[in-house]
Amino acid sequence: MSATKVGLIGAGNMGHPMAMRLLEQGIDLTVCDRNPDAVRSLIEHGAKSAPSAKALADSCEVIIASLPGRETSVAVALGPDGISSGRAVRVYVETSTLGSKIIQTIADGLAERNIGMIDAPISGGPPRAREGKLAVLASGAKGDFDLAGPILEKVAESLFYLGEKPGISQVAKIINN
């Protein structure tokens, strides 16, 4: 597990405390964010830095995304210099609540490049992320979950695998809310 190189894109309100938690748990973590201050803080705690989503996907097998909105999430995952252009990435984990249609769009685009996707919306807020006590509802191919699950367990007190279809977790989170 420790050999898996993990990337995190979006070191903001939720991403930063998740990144700190992963670093404390000994994860080999590379981060990417538009805000150099957010990245600098994580580098001071042992993270590496990537200048772009593509660079992150060229060096990390599992990438966790914590992004502020639908358009940003689609652009980061599928844009010309996005995750889908990366050479190393095997599984992309989207932690934002984006809706099942957007998740399916991202999953389909990544599948064209043989990149798996785990739909994993999170609940709990920044303090719980920092403590590793988030609730995570995950869906996606079982093999992809098997790779990403041990990493998600580092930030989750409760990790629920809901099945093979990305988007199911989005619906479950809305129902739960």
Side-chain angles (χ1 to χ4, degrees), residues 88-101:
V89 62
R90 293 173 50 202
V91 178
Y92 183 71
V93 180
E94 178 58 75
T95 65
S96 304
T97 305
L98 303 172
S100 58
K101 183 178 177 183

Side-chain angles (χ1 to χ4, degrees), residues 100 103-104 107 117-119 139-141 163-169:
S100 58
I103 290 296
Q104 193 60 57
M117 178 173 180
I118 297 297
D119 168 24
S139 58
E164 294 266 334
K165 183 170 175 33
I168 291 172
S169 298

Side-chain angles (χ1 to χ4, degrees), residues 45-117:
H45 288 91
K48 298 178 210 89
S49 169
S52 68
K54 183 184 181 316
L56 191 67
D58 280 342
S59 65
C60 298
E61 299 163 282
V62 175
I63 296 175
I64 300 170
S66 180
L67 299 165
R70 292 176 177 157
E71 295 80 18
T72 303
S73 291
V74 171
V76 164
L78 305 177
D81 292 318
I83 299 302
S84 64
S85 301
R87 294 183 310 265
V89 62
R90 293 173 50 202
V91 178
Y92 183 71
V93 180
E94 178 58 75
T95 65
S96 304
T97 305
L98 303 172
S100 58
K101 183 178 177 183
I102 296 293
I103 290 296
Q104 193 60 57
T105 298
I106 294 170
D108 290 346
L110 293 172
E112 291 174 7
R113 303 297 301 262
N114 295 315
I115 300 168
M117 178 173 180

